[in-house]
Amino acid sequence: MSSPSSVTAVGGSATEEEHSASSAGRVIRVLRAFAKMPWLTKLCCLWLMVVILTAALADLIPGLADPNHQGFIFGESKTNDGPSASHWLGTDNVSRDILSRLIYGARVSLIFAISGVSIGVFIGCVLGSIAGFLKGSVDSVAMSVVDVMLSFPALVGLLFVSTMLESRSLATLCLITAIFIWPRFTRVGRAAALSVAGRDFVTAAKAIGTSRRRILLREILPNVFPAVLAFGLVSMAILVILESTLSFLGLGVEIPTASWGGMIAQARQDLLINVWPLIWPSVTLIFTVYSFNNIVDWLRERVAVRSAAL
Amino acid sequence: MSKMIAGRLTRLALTLLVVSFVTFVGVNVLPGDAINALIPIDAQQDQEFVEQVREEWGLNDPMLVRYGRWLGNAVQGDLGDSIVTGRPVTDEIVHRLPITLEIMFVAVGLSLLLAIPLGLLSAYREGRRPDRVISGVAQLALSMPVFVTGLILIYFFALKLHWFPATGWNRFSKGIGPNLKTVALPAISLAITEAAVYTRVLRSDVITTLKENYILSARAKGLTDRYILFRHGLRPSLLTLVTVVGLSIGTLIGGTLVVEYLFAIPGLGRRIFSAIYQRDFMMVQGITILITAFYVIVNTVVDLAYMVVDPRIRRTS
């Protein structure tokens, strides 16, 4: 708790050790940290790995149905069918394989969350460091923009922009989301930069005449990055929820592309006939978000991650 | 002190000004001509008529002129007329605002009712079984999107048990009972996530407080645990709780919008939704400004209240 924001690895090891350690040693350290987790957190890690791997390799999984294949047209399967050998999780109300749609839907969620977080972390680090280190007019301009952006209820803004768009591809969705999430990251980055800028090693660097550019790149940025990244991890869960909410409202990726929120919206129509199409995506969604939250909480207990401006 | 309040109020006004301008520009720059909402496509053959309508609605003026005109009316409480229904936007907002506010207030009330005892118990029994159960449940509740919670509630309490209606809204004028029946499920779905946030904040806050010296001296005096917990433990945390409620208003507004969509409630959220679809830019502008104003004002009030109550903050900032 005493060393603020110098979050390196899970084990919180010193940087010199990190450099000298072989890759095998690093693997062992990660495994050891994994072994120390509570069983629930282990389960969450495994679950996320399964979700990420299946989503990434979905095209290579043998026997996985096409997510948009409507079996009843070809007399292969029934609509609203319960779990069976050919469709492990059953079929939805237009007889598409639910498992396959879940896996392809994970892709949408993960790409959305990861790209949103990446853009946020990038802008947060760069802009936050500059604002927090240079202070003065750069800082006040950046922060007033951030303040105005934050006073805009994000979901309302997002809905507004995405309905106005003529087409909603995943890429445009990620971009407009980035518009609404960068201010929070910048705030976190600036807060970290402010605290780093006051530390002795920065004063020392200034004293020996290091250029401001070099201080920014070599001293400030590397120390701001972990704090912003930690905030990014917290945001993963929020972004997954956001994506599913947008899809549920019919403002996410365009149908028939599979997404968890879209599946839930569709299952809602036949709630009394068949609950399975509602249960599967809901459980998947909740457990995925829960896994992110659980792992972040576990990390937070271990390393003093500042969760400011959450 | 008064200087600081004046500063905050100026910033409030500036923020509202900028947000209104950004919304205005946003509505006008994005694709979708307002004329399509005003006149049906087949009537647009008549160029002269189209021009006349454009002139009538002032669509030919430069954007800044239109913004100035709109702003001038807005500060007098006139947000223009809806271009779809022709009714004043202000009227429609006044008509629908109570519904949205009621859902939000009931949701916040319910979450506080849940969060205060749970957070206190959790802090009091830190690390033991009650704490672990409460923290675990809170973590799960945090992971539930509002629409999933809402659907689960609809499935069990409306479709299976028939305790509450699945959709719709009864206004207050129909009596308190029917009104509460329609507000229950939407408010509960919002409250579950909110309560989880509040519980976690309260828990960590009270845990820190309980380590203070004055708690030790209160114990030494022989005061009961219950008295210490409520009088010495909870009271300083109430301020934090107020701030968190203020900060969560933003998420709450988004959540209310989703809940109104899910339960087909004729509130502001549902209205802005249909207005966006109809390209009813007057309505979108009006409601967005109102929501943002509400959000910014709540946070300013919370900030000021904080300063008034806690002298330490007054000095540092």
Side-chain angles (χ1 to χ4, degrees):
Chain A
M1 285 295 212
S2 57
S3 68
S5 76
S6 61
V7 190
T8 41
V10 173
S13 54
T15 30
E16 284 158 59
E17 222 181 289
E18 191 104 308
H19 285 302
S20 61
S22 62
S23 59
R26 203 168 299 162
V27 169
I28 289 173
R29 192 150 1 105
V30 169
L31 284 178
R32 203 174 290 156
F34 182 76
K36 276 190 209 149
M37 283 181 185
W39 64 271
L40 197 57
T41 312
K42 271 183 203 162
L43 194 66
C44 289
C45 281
L46 286 178
W47 169 255
L48 281 187
M49 269 194 267
V50 168
V51 172
I52 291 170
L53 282 179
T54 49
L57 306 174
D59 299 321
L60 304 175
I61 299 175
L64 188 68
D66 176 351
N68 292 324
H69 181 74
Q70 303 184 359
F72 78 102
I73 298 174
F74 309 96
E76 295 161 5
S77 55
K78 287 177 282 182
T79 56
N80 277 326
D81 207 3
S84 67
S86 54
H87 300 284
W88 289 2
L89 301 183
T91 55
D92 67 4
N93 62 359
V94 285
S95 81
R96 292 175 299 198
D97 184 49
I98 291 179
L99 177 64
S100 159
R101 287 185 76 72
L102 275 184
I103 290 175
Y104 280 90
R107 236 182 218 192
V108 173
S109 280
L110 291 175
I111 291 177
F112 181 85
I114 292 172
S115 56
V117 165
S118 310
I119 299 176
V121 168
F122 180 76
I123 299 181
C125 278
V126 174
L127 196 57
S129 297
I130 294 175
F133 177 60
L134 294 183
K135 304 197 179 96
S137 56
V138 184
D139 185 32
S140 48
V141 169
M143 282 308 117
S144 7
V145 177
V146 165
D147 274 348
V148 171
M149 290 297 296
L150 284 182
S151 58
F152 211 81
L155 189 64
V156 178
L158 208 58
L159 285 180
F160 173 59
V161 180
S162 57
T163 355
M164 290 293 187
L165 290 175
E166 309 252 295
S167 75
R168 292 187 310 270
S169 68
L170 189 52
T172 44
L173 276 179
C174 293
L175 276 180
I176 57 172
T177 312
I179 301 177
F180 288 97
I181 63 166
W182 73 266
R184 280 173 200 282
F185 283 89
T186 307
R187 215 175 231 190
V188 174
R190 175 178 175 267
L194 275 179
S195 79
V196 174
R199 303 262 296 269
D200 287 343
F201 59 84
V202 177
T203 321
K206 275 185 195 155
I208 59 170
T210 318
S211 70
R212 286 207 296 194
R213 213 180 98 122
R214 201 179 152 82
I215 296 181
L216 249 182
L217 289 176
R218 303 300 287 267
E219 317 286 353
I220 307 283
L221 258 183
N223 284 297
V224 166
F225 179 67
V228 181
L229 188 68
F231 183 70
L233 279 179
V234 180
S235 310
M236 286 292 286
I238 297 170
L239 281 179
V240 172
I241 290 187
L242 188 64
E243 190 277 326
S244 65
T245 307
L246 281 179
S247 301
F248 177 75
L249 295 173
L251 295 169
V253 286
E254 276 164 17
I255 47 173
T257 311
S259 65
W260 294 342
M263 293 174 74
I264 293 173
Q266 202 185 10
R268 181 185 164 211
Q269 300 160 1
D270 291 332
L271 209 52
L272 280 175
I273 305 168
N274 186 8
V275 261
W276 289 111
L278 175 71
I279 292 175
W280 295 123
S282 303
V283 169
T284 316
L285 175 60
I286 292 173
F287 201 54
T288 306
V289 175
Y290 179 80
S291 299
F292 279 121
N293 281 334
N294 190 293
I295 293 170
V296 167
D297 279 356
W298 178 81
L299 278 174
R300 202 174 344 208
E301 271 171 33
R302 225 124 294 265
V303 278
V305 172
R306 294 270 189 91
S307 60
L310 196 70
Chain B
M1 188 66 198
S2 57
K3 205 173 163 189
M4 191 172 284
I5 294 178
R8 291 296 314 212
L9 291 182
T10 327
R11 224 174 86 187
L12 176 81
L14 273 177
T15 312
L16 284 181
L17 197 67
V18 175
V19 167
S20 70
F21 185 68
V22 170
T23 319
F24 195 90
V25 173
V27 176
N28 285 284
V29 162
L30 288 167
D33 194 343
I35 204 76
N36 294 337
L38 284 170
I39 322 169
I41 297 284
D42 39 322
Q44 285 183 27
Q45 299 299 332
D46 188 356
Q47 284 298 326
E48 216 168 288
F49 176 59
V50 170
E51 265 319 295
Q52 192 192 329
V53 174
R54 274 185 178 278
E55 204 57 52
E56 220 170 274
W57 283 83
L59 291 174
N60 283 336
D61 300 334
M63 196 155 65
L64 269 178
V65 175
R66 277 187 288 153
Y67 174 67
R69 198 188 310 138
W70 179 81
L71 190 68
N73 289 330
V75 290
Q76 295 168 39
D78 175 16
L79 293 168
D81 296 337
S82 156
I83 60 172
V84 175
T85 61
R87 289 178 54 199
V89 173
T90 318
D91 282 6
E92 193 129 8
I93 288 178
V94 168
H95 186 65
R96 287 163 183 270
L97 186 62
I99 300 177
T100 305
L101 282 182
E102 187 188 343
I103 298 176
M104 285 173 61
F105 275 121
V106 174
V108 170
L110 277 179
S111 2
L112 286 176
L113 227 54
L114 268 172
I116 292 178
L118 288 179
L120 278 181
L121 179 64
S122 198
Y124 179 56
R125 290 258 170 250
E126 187 197 348
R128 309 229 217 117
R129 180 165 290 170
D131 178 32
R132 272 184 283 146
V133 171
I134 291 172
S135 299
V137 171
Q139 206 176 39
L140 186 67
L142 269 182
S143 313
M144 311 244 305
V146 175
F147 65 95
V148 177
T149 323
L151 274 173
I152 295 172
L153 290 178
I154 287 182
Y155 184 75
F156 286 108
F157 295 104
L159 299 182
K160 290 285 161 190
L161 294 169
H162 301 288
W163 288 358
F164 301 101
T167 53
W169 184 260
N170 291 326
R171 282 193 169 263
F172 228 42
S173 47
K174 283 192 187 166
I176 294 180
N179 175 262
L180 284 183
K181 265 197 166 174
T182 45
V183 83
L185 291 187
I188 294 173
S189 19
L190 283 173
I192 288 177
T193 331
E194 288 297 300
V197 177
Y198 300 164
T199 307
R200 281 167 64 123
V201 171
L202 188 63
R203 173 186 176 270
S204 65
D205 220 45
V206 172
I207 285 178
T208 329
T209 313
L210 289 182
K211 295 200 172 97
E212 297 276 347
N213 282 332
Y214 66 83
I215 300 288
L216 197 67
S217 65
R219 272 221 176 103
K221 275 195 289 186
L223 298 177
T224 59
D225 277 8
R226 178 197 293 259
Y227 188 87
I228 293 175
L229 210 54
F230 280 92
R231 280 311 180 88
H232 298 272
L234 178 62
R235 268 176 79 175
S237 299
L238 284 178
L239 266 179
T240 323
L241 217 50
V242 169
T243 319
V244 175
V245 172
L247 284 176
S248 71
I249 290 290
T251 352
L252 201 62
I253 292 170
T256 313
L257 203 147
V258 176
V259 155
E260 283 181 8
Y261 172 86
L262 179 62
F263 288 89
I265 294 168
L268 270 190
R270 207 177 157 78
R271 189 66 188 88
I272 195 176
F273 210 56
S274 59
I276 291 175
Y277 269 118
Q278 297 164 339
R279 301 275 191 272
D280 188 348
F281 64 96
M282 279 297 186
M283 189 62 83
V284 175
Q285 249 158 292
I287 298 179
T288 312
I289 288 295
L290 185 89
I291 290 176
T292 319
F294 179 66
Y295 179 58
V296 182
I297 290 171
V298 166
N299 276 311
T300 311
V301 169
V302 166
D303 267 11
L304 288 177
Y306 217 102
M307 274 191 251
V308 171
V309 182
D310 195 338
R312 284 170 300 181
I313 300 164
R314 231 179 296 164
R315 248 177 277 132
T316 49
S317 56

